[in-house]
Amino acid sequence: FARLLTPTDVGVLILGMGICSGVGGVATLGLSQALARRIAELRVAGMAEVARRSGGSGMLLGIVSGVVAALAMAAAAPAIENAFGAARLGDVVRLLTPVAVGLPVGAAAVGIGRAWGDAGGRAVLREAGGGLLRVGGVVVAAILFRDLGAVAAGLAVGALLGEIAYALFVCGKGWSSNVMGRPWDSELTRRLAPFWLMMVIVQVET
């Protein structure tokens, strides 16, 4: 799609994607690792229903964290554009906020799926399917509109749909139960801090 956008537009898109991916990565809270360990321990202990409730708690945490991250990015978009001195970067960041919403949800789903022994669903839906959705969104937007904003929106929608697809797969398998009206897995939230700190370090390093 570089031939359909100016080199400057491509650079702004890549920069915006890097910013949104970094913020979204921090917003995952380390849920993938924390959930995988917590649910695996519960399953070994024969507490399958509690394991499902832990998955539901993690999924809800991912949704809330992703929404908060997206709102923060949208609010900070003008300041981000001024800091980098890149025209239209603020618009691109706002349009890419669905990426930050999807990443924590996808991370929670990955942790749940890993604990329950899934491999194929993640490979097909999140990795391959999500990749195709992102590419498809970018290509269609670039061909139809040839506009930086449209391409950013197409990329964001594709990324979000890929994460949602795998999360729905995990829920459909019964590995994550609805926590509304049920006890929250407070042990999961208590264990999150070191996993979140590791994720922050990873994002800073990259």
Side-chain angles (χ1 to χ4, degrees):
F1 68 92
R3 296 182 180 181
L4 302 175
L5 299 175
T6 68
T8 299
D9 286 345
V10 173
V12 170
L13 180 63
I14 292 173
L15 177 58
M17 191 62 195
I19 293 169
C20 292
S21 295
V23 173
V26 171
T28 64
L29 306 176
L31 281 168
S32 177
Q33 297 85 353
L35 277 167
R37 177 173 295 185
R38 171 67 172 154
I39 294 173
E41 290 173 354
L42 290 169
R43 291 189 68 206
V44 169
M47 304 170 70
E49 184 53 40
V50 180
R52 293 184 179 92
R53 192 164 67 241
S54 182
S57 299
M59 196 71 78
L60 185 57
L61 271 174
I63 293 171
V64 172
S65 181
V67 170
V68 170
L71 291 174
M73 275 200 315
I80 293 172
E81 181 171 318
N82 290 334
F84 285 92
R88 299 197 67 188
L89 178 59
D91 292 336
V92 168
V93 167
R94 278 189 289 267
L95 289 166
L96 287 173
T97 52
V99 174
V101 176
L103 282 174
V105 177
V110 167
I112 296 167
R114 186 181 298 154
W116 286 92
D118 173 63
R122 176 185 175 186
V124 172
L125 293 172
R126 188 171 188 259
E127 309 303 336
L132 288 173
L133 285 168
R134 288 190 291 271
V135 171
V138 167
V139 170
V140 170
I143 292 174
L144 292 180
F145 302 102
R146 299 196 178 194
D147 176 73
L148 174 60
V151 171
L155 175 60
V157 170
L160 179 60
L161 289 177
E163 303 291 358
I164 290 176
Y166 185 58
L168 290 175
F169 170 81
V170 166
C171 292
K173 284 285 189 178
W175 298 334
S176 171
S177 64
N178 187 346
V179 294
M180 298 302 181
R182 298 184 182 184
W184 180 269
D185 186 8
S186 57
E187 180 64 18
L188 172 66
T189 52
R190 189 186 68 81
R191 294 185 181 190
L192 274 180
F195 295 103
W196 176 74
L197 182 58
M198 285 191 296
M199 186 56 62
V200 171
I201 293 172
V202 168
Q203 297 302 322
V204 170
E205 288 180 344
T206 55

